[in-house]
Amino acid sequence: MEQSTPSFTGLTNEDVAEITGIAPKSLDQYRTRGVGIPFYKGRVKTRSYSGKKIMVTKTMHRVEDLRAWLIETEREYLLPELDAWLAARASDAEV
């Protein structure tokens, strides 16, 4: 069964927390220990604080990486939740 991925580029920690029920802080701790979902830094923004420009990034996860991590960590029971979340996002994007 082939999965289609909506047009958005990645999932935020908050998205993953909503899908899995794992708190964002726990996801951060998993990442720190090197046992979490593979991630990348995305959504770079430049902000100015006291005249200095600061780059702000956001931790992002690819849908495929989340799916593989759920299987690898024996959380396959969350795959229907992921698929439902993706379907809801895809239908929101079509409207």
Side-chain angles (χ1 to χ4, degrees):
M1 184 166 120
E2 187 175 322
Q3 299 294 327
S4 63
T5 303
S7 61
F8 59 86
T9 58
L11 304 169
T12 64
N13 253 10
E14 293 75 21
D15 294 337
V16 173
E18 184 181 331
I19 293 164
T20 64
I22 300 171
K25 190 169 187 169
S26 295
L27 292 169
D28 291 338
Q29 291 172 352
Y30 289 168
R31 188 170 43 259
T32 301
R33 291 187 308 205
V35 297
I37 306 159
F39 69 97
Y40 64 97
K41 294 292 185 175
R43 295 186 183 177
V44 178
K45 296 180 183 179
T46 304
R47 302 224 174 160
S48 210
Y49 294 100
S50 302
K52 295 181 181 178
K53 289 190 176 188
I54 299 173
M55 299 295 283
V56 179
T57 61
K58 189 161 190 112
T59 300
M60 303 293 289
H61 307 277
R62 289 178 180 81
V63 174
E64 303 79 24
D65 291 340
L66 175 57
R67 189 178 303 281
W69 184 78
L70 291 172
I71 293 167
E72 179 183 312
T73 58
E74 299 180 357
R75 292 180 168 103
E76 294 95 350
Y77 60 91
L78 290 171
L79 290 174
E81 183 71 25
L82 172 60
D83 293 336
W85 191 92
L86 291 171
R89 292 290 189 230
S91 66
D92 288 347
E94 292 174 1
V95 175

